[in-house]
Amino acid sequence: MSTAPRPVRLRWTARAARWGEATPVGNGEIGGMVLGDARGRIGLNDASLWSGTPDGPRRALDAVVAGGAGPERLAQVRDAVARHDDDETERLLRTFEGPWSQEFLPLGDLDLDLGRIDTTGYERVLDLSSAVVDETFLLDGVPVRRATWVSAADGALVVELVADSPVSAVVRLRSPLRVAGSDAGVSDGGLAHLSLLVETPVDGAPKHEPDAVAHVWREGGPEAVGGSGFDPAAAVAVAVRTDGAATVVPGTHEVVITGARRVLLAVTTETNARRWWRHEPQAPRDELVARATRHAQDVAASGAGALRARHEAAARELLGRSGLELGVPAGDEPVDVDALLADADDRALARVIYAYGRYLLVSSSRPGSPPANLQGIWNASMRPPWSSNYTININTQMNYWLAERTGLGELHEPLLDLIERVAGEGRAVAGELYGARGWVAHHNTDPWGYALPVGAGHSPTSWAFWPMGGLWLADHLWQRWEYGRDRDELAGRVLPLLLGASAFALDWLVAGPDGTLGTSPSTSPENFFLRADGTSGAVSTSSAMDLSLIRATLERTLAAAEAVGVADAADATLLDEIRAALPRIAPLRVADDGTLYEWGDDSASLEPHHRHLSLLIGLHPLHAVDVERTPELADAARRTLDARGPGAMGWSWSWKIAMRARLGDGDVARDLLREATTPYPGDPDLDAPPDGSEWGGLLPNLFSTHPPFQIDGNFGLAAAIAEMLVGTGEGTPDSPVRLLPALPAAWPDGRITGVRTRGGIAVDLDWRGGRPVALRLHDVVGAGPRDVTVSFAGRSRTVPVGSPVAADSLFGETS
């Protein structure tokens, strides 16, 4: 095998004029946006800083139940659906709506203000292998170098400034949150520090609720918030180390630095929300400040060299697990790429998008913190788009499609932690709202585990009512087992959650006149149907998405139970129910035009080019539709994709590319990738219509935008590229590893390393002239010696794990 693909460095030659031009850094806990301006401004986020409180979901459920929603009203809904009484269905279902999930909020800004920098000679480089941003510029003709990173090893954002001659600077901390206290000083050891104590609101209304109070702040002590005893307080501190003089100017909350050639800043945070997330006791406010300050001082005392070395070693270990190079490799030096992608061909684009997506996940998702949200870990707005929350009808799941696939399985852990919290709240919602066993989730959630429908009682059911969110999240439980093969985790964590999801699914199923099982009420997220009589609506029966998710969840629950066994009699009874139900679940149906039906009747989609592809979830990310096992359904899926057309925003493009990869449509996938990676030509600060009628693209910092910016597009594009080059089935013995299943003709040569397949295998693959020439399979789960079936162009071979193979000897010349 050849060596690993060369690392990629992104280069900007202008300071960021706005947030969407800044460079992101993070460690899953702290996020930063490096603008590179004269103020040395870095936008700060902490993954745990959300509006809301732990008891918010329970209080919301109590209010909905008090309003009359419950199992009896659900029966009325089902009757209205059967009568095609769309107005009554809508009216009744809106009574099931809770308020809204909570908002991810900004922490503030850090300044290392130099007063001015020269307008020429500026450069900012992000190394996607070491996760460090290096800037070079001139200050009155003096060369200055500034490096920024967020260290997981040390739990801090670090800024190092080195100047060839002494300079002066001012350090500041600011926050848009409610500031409850501040401190500044210089320690006996000469380290200066600043700190802020801030509060998050106990409720935050989304921007699409203009009549609601934007933020509700706590008044009184912790018991004043619903009796939860939760104190929504957080501390941020910065320690300043310099070879110059550092003084704190009274009344300014600033550290003034003079005569310095070297400056080192260390920023740390302590929050009660993070302590709650980690199941730790709340801390008094003064303790939060003291902890953050001591931590920042300890980090700064370590020195820049040691800090950067520890950070880079940890970052390279993660980022180096997988890489992509398109074209014939030339040398092993890092590849510098103009971040504006000027004159870049699509091979260079694909390489950058793959590396950047993995970098963003490493930066925004780590064990011990909430998972990456709609904006990852980077948000500057107190009223962010869609609350910067967890939208679980596609977006949150897409954030993690590349985790297992590209060797970042441990970064999946925060999502699994969230699923456990949602399941905890969702048990009460399932029981009290629907009279069902198990647990349920709907369209949105947050770190507090919100599981109700959203919409505040006045929102369209097309998006507000969708009780399949938990079942789609369950796909990630299964991925964790399929890729990681940890039997203890399967038995202790995955299977109990799958059993709960299956219990709800069984109770949600209803029998039709023909004895088949389906769902009612049923929606296909954010879409509307058009009946033959010209009427339209959003709520019907047995959507293709419902049936696909329920079938997959039940089948996987059975497989998990067979792998580790069950001892509980109730669980065994549930498994018997699953076995009885599976053969009765209604199949997917193909329309006369060859496309798949989206709903249980013969209704068509009101928007033929709708951005959501919910009816095709069986193709991707599930594996129910397959070009070899179910060719008729695969052909129907292709026709459905053809009818939906191209466009229109990052996550929709990503999903389409991944589906085309599953179908083997490499050239179509490439065309979609080229669309998705086009620089966005409009004003990124103006939100585009959510229906996708205006196409999105990439911001100058390569964030995927609609607008607004949503990070799911970045993650989804990276995962889709992996899907084009190495395919993987459900991990069963008859599911081969597919080599180059959707290779575009324009990518005849290349190399991908470390891409994972189900069953705990890592694949290194080289190809030339569109054919595999070198292959190595690595055991990454300790399963021991084994043979794996691989396929290329419809031909299968058996390959031993651990030994390099000349793939051309396996497949030879192909016509």
Coordinates of all heavy atoms in Angstrom, one line a residue, residues 274-307:
R274 N -23.0 22.1 32.1 CA -22.1 21.0 31.8 C -22.0 20.0 32.9 O -22.0 18.8 32.7 CB -20.7 21.5 31.5 CG -19.7 20.4 31.0 CD -18.3 20.9 30.9 NE -18.2 22.1 30.0 CZ -17.5 23.2 30.3 NH1 -16.8 23.3 31.4 NH2 -17.6 24.2 29.4
R275 N -22.0 20.5 34.1 CA -22.0 19.6 35.3 C -23.3 18.8 35.3 O -23.2 17.6 35.6 CB -21.9 20.4 36.6 CG -20.5 21.2 36.7 CD -20.4 22.0 37.9 NE -20.3 21.2 39.1 CZ -19.1 20.7 39.5 NH1 -18.0 21.0 38.8 NH2 -19.0 19.9 40.6
W276 N -24.4 19.3 35.0 CA -25.6 18.6 34.9 C -25.5 17.5 33.8 O -25.9 16.3 34.0 CB -26.8 19.5 34.6 CG -28.1 18.7 34.4 CD1 -29.0 18.3 35.3 CD2 -28.6 18.3 33.1 NE1 -30.0 17.6 34.7 CE2 -29.8 17.6 33.4 CE3 -28.2 18.5 31.8 CZ2 -30.6 17.1 32.3 CZ3 -29.0 18.0 30.8 CH2 -30.2 17.3 31.0
W277 N -25.0 17.9 32.6 CA -24.8 16.9 31.5 C -24.0 15.7 31.9 O -24.2 14.6 31.5 CB -24.2 17.7 30.3 CG -24.0 16.8 29.1 CD1 -22.9 16.2 28.8 CD2 -25.0 16.4 28.1 NE1 -23.1 15.4 27.6 CE2 -24.4 15.6 27.2 CE3 -26.4 16.7 28.0 CZ2 -25.0 15.1 26.1 CZ3 -27.0 16.2 26.8 CH2 -26.4 15.4 25.9
R278 N -23.0 16.0 32.7 CA -22.0 14.9 33.2 C -22.5 14.3 34.5 O -21.7 13.5 35.1 CB -20.6 15.5 33.3 CG -20.0 16.0 32.0 CD -18.7 16.7 32.3 NE -18.1 17.1 31.0 CZ -17.0 17.8 30.9 NH1 -16.3 18.1 31.9 NH2 -16.5 18.1 29.7
H279 N -23.7 14.6 34.9 CA -24.2 14.0 36.1 C -23.4 14.3 37.4 O -23.2 13.5 38.3 CB -24.3 12.4 36.0 CG -25.1 12.0 34.8 ND1 -26.5 12.1 34.7 CD2 -24.7 11.5 33.6 CE1 -26.9 11.6 33.5 NE2 -25.8 11.3 32.8
E280 N -22.9 15.5 37.4 CA -22.1 16.1 38.5 C -23.0 17.1 39.3 O -23.9 17.7 38.7 CB -20.9 16.7 38.0 CG -19.9 15.8 37.3 CD -18.7 16.6 36.7 OE1 -18.7 17.8 36.7 OE2 -17.8 15.9 36.2
P281 N -22.7 17.3 40.6 CA -23.5 18.2 41.3 C -23.3 19.6 40.9 O -22.2 20.0 40.4 CB -23.0 18.0 42.8 CG -21.7 17.4 42.6 CD -21.7 16.6 41.4
Q282 N -24.3 20.5 41.1 CA -24.2 21.9 40.8 C -23.1 22.5 41.7 O -22.9 22.0 42.8 CB -25.5 22.6 41.1 CG -26.7 22.1 40.3 CD -26.6 22.6 38.8 OE1 -26.9 23.7 38.5 NE2 -26.2 21.7 37.9
A283 N -22.5 23.6 41.2 CA -21.5 24.3 41.9 C -21.9 25.7 42.3 O -22.6 26.3 41.5 CB -20.2 24.3 41.1
P284 N -21.6 26.2 43.5 CA -21.9 27.6 43.8 C -21.2 28.5 42.7 O -20.2 28.2 42.1 CB -21.3 27.8 45.2 CG -21.2 26.4 45.7 CD -20.9 25.5 44.6
R285 N -21.7 29.7 42.6 CA -21.2 30.6 41.6 C -19.8 31.0 41.8 O -19.0 31.1 40.8 CB -22.1 31.8 41.5 CG -23.5 31.5 41.0 CD -24.4 32.7 40.8 NE -25.6 32.3 40.1 CZ -26.4 33.2 39.4 NH1 -26.1 34.5 39.4 NH2 -27.5 32.8 38.8
D286 N -19.4 31.2 43.0 CA -18.0 31.6 43.3 C -17.1 30.5 43.0 O -15.9 30.7 42.5 CB -17.8 32.1 44.7 CG -18.3 31.1 45.8 OD1 -18.9 30.1 45.4 OD2 -18.0 31.4 47.0
E287 N -17.6 29.3 43.2 CA -16.7 28.1 42.8 C -16.5 28.0 41.3 O -15.5 27.6 40.8 CB -17.3 26.8 43.4 CG -16.4 25.6 43.2 CD -17.0 24.3 43.8 OE1 -17.8 24.5 44.8 OE2 -16.8 23.3 43.2
L288 N -17.6 28.3 40.5 CA -17.5 28.2 39.1 C -16.4 29.2 38.6 O -15.5 28.9 37.8 CB -18.8 28.6 38.4 CG -19.9 27.6 38.6 CD1 -21.2 28.2 37.9 CD2 -19.6 26.3 37.9
V289 N -16.4 30.4 39.2 CA -15.4 31.4 38.8 C -14.0 31.0 39.2 O -13.1 31.1 38.4 CB -15.8 32.8 39.4 CG1 -14.7 33.8 39.1 CG2 -17.1 33.3 38.8
A290 N -13.9 30.5 40.4 CA -12.6 30.1 40.9 C -12.0 28.9 40.1 O -10.8 28.9 39.8 CB -12.7 29.7 42.4
R291 N -12.9 28.0 39.8 CA -12.4 26.8 39.0 C -11.9 27.3 37.6 O -10.9 26.8 37.1 CB -13.5 25.8 38.8 CG -13.8 24.9 40.0 CD -15.0 24.1 39.8 NE -15.3 23.2 40.9 CZ -14.8 21.9 41.0 NH1 -14.1 21.4 40.0 NH2 -15.1 21.1 42.0
A292 N -12.7 28.1 36.9 CA -12.4 28.6 35.6 C -11.1 29.4 35.7 O -10.2 29.2 34.8 CB -13.5 29.4 35.0
T293 N -10.9 30.2 36.7 CA -9.7 31.0 36.8 C -8.5 30.2 37.0 O -7.4 30.4 36.4 CB -9.9 32.1 37.9 OG1 -11.0 32.9 37.6 CG2 -8.7 33.0 38.0
R294 N -8.6 29.3 38.0 CA -7.4 28.4 38.3 C -7.0 27.6 37.1 O -5.9 27.4 36.8 CB -7.7 27.5 39.5 CG -7.7 28.2 40.8 CD -7.7 27.1 41.9 NE -8.8 26.2 41.9 CZ -9.9 26.3 42.5 NH1 -10.2 27.4 43.2 NH2 -10.9 25.4 42.4
H295 N -8.1 27.1 36.4 CA -7.8 26.2 35.2 C -7.0 27.0 34.1 O -6.0 26.6 33.6 CB -9.1 25.7 34.7 CG -9.0 24.7 33.5 ND1 -10.0 24.2 32.9 CD2 -7.9 24.2 32.9 CE1 -9.6 23.4 31.9 NE2 -8.3 23.4 31.9
A296 N -7.5 28.3 33.9 CA -6.9 29.1 32.9 C -5.4 29.4 33.3 O -4.5 29.4 32.5 CB -7.7 30.4 32.7
Q297 N -5.2 29.7 34.5 CA -3.9 30.0 35.0 C -2.9 28.8 34.9 O -1.8 28.9 34.5 CB -3.9 30.5 36.4 CG -4.6 31.9 36.6 CD -4.8 32.3 38.0 OE1 -5.0 31.4 38.9 NE2 -4.8 33.6 38.3
D298 N -3.5 27.6 35.2 CA -2.6 26.4 35.1 C -2.3 26.2 33.7 O -1.1 25.7 33.4 CB -3.4 25.2 35.7 CG -3.5 25.3 37.2 OD1 -2.8 26.1 37.9 OD2 -4.4 24.5 37.8
V299 N -3.2 26.4 32.8 CA -2.9 26.1 31.4 C -1.9 27.1 30.9 O -0.9 26.7 30.2 CB -4.2 26.3 30.5 CG1 -3.9 26.2 29.0 CG2 -5.2 25.1 30.9
A300 N -2.0 28.4 31.2 CA -1.1 29.4 30.7 C 0.3 29.2 31.3 O 1.3 29.4 30.6 CB -1.6 30.8 31.1
A301 N 0.4 28.7 32.5 CA 1.7 28.4 33.1 C 2.4 27.3 32.4 O 3.7 27.2 32.6 CB 1.5 28.0 34.6
S302 N 1.7 26.4 31.7 CA 2.4 25.3 31.0 C 3.3 25.8 29.9 O 4.2 25.1 29.5 CB 1.4 24.4 30.4 OG 0.6 23.8 31.4
G303 N 3.0 27.0 29.3 CA 3.8 27.5 28.2 C 3.3 27.0 26.8 O 2.8 25.9 26.7
A304 N 3.5 27.9 25.8 CA 2.9 27.6 24.5 C 3.4 26.4 23.9 O 2.7 25.6 23.2 CB 3.1 28.9 23.6
G305 N 4.7 26.1 24.0 CA 5.3 25.0 23.3 C 4.7 23.7 23.8 O 4.3 22.8 22.9
A306 N 4.6 23.5 25.1 CA 4.1 22.2 25.6 C 2.6 22.1 25.3 O 2.1 21.0 24.9 CB 4.3 22.2 27.1
L307 N 1.9 23.2 25.3 CA 0.5 23.2 25.0 C 0.2 22.8 23.6 O -0.6 22.0 23.3 CB -0.2 24.6 25.3 CG -0.2 25.0 26.8 CD1 -0.7 26.5 26.9 CD2 -1.2 24.1 27.6

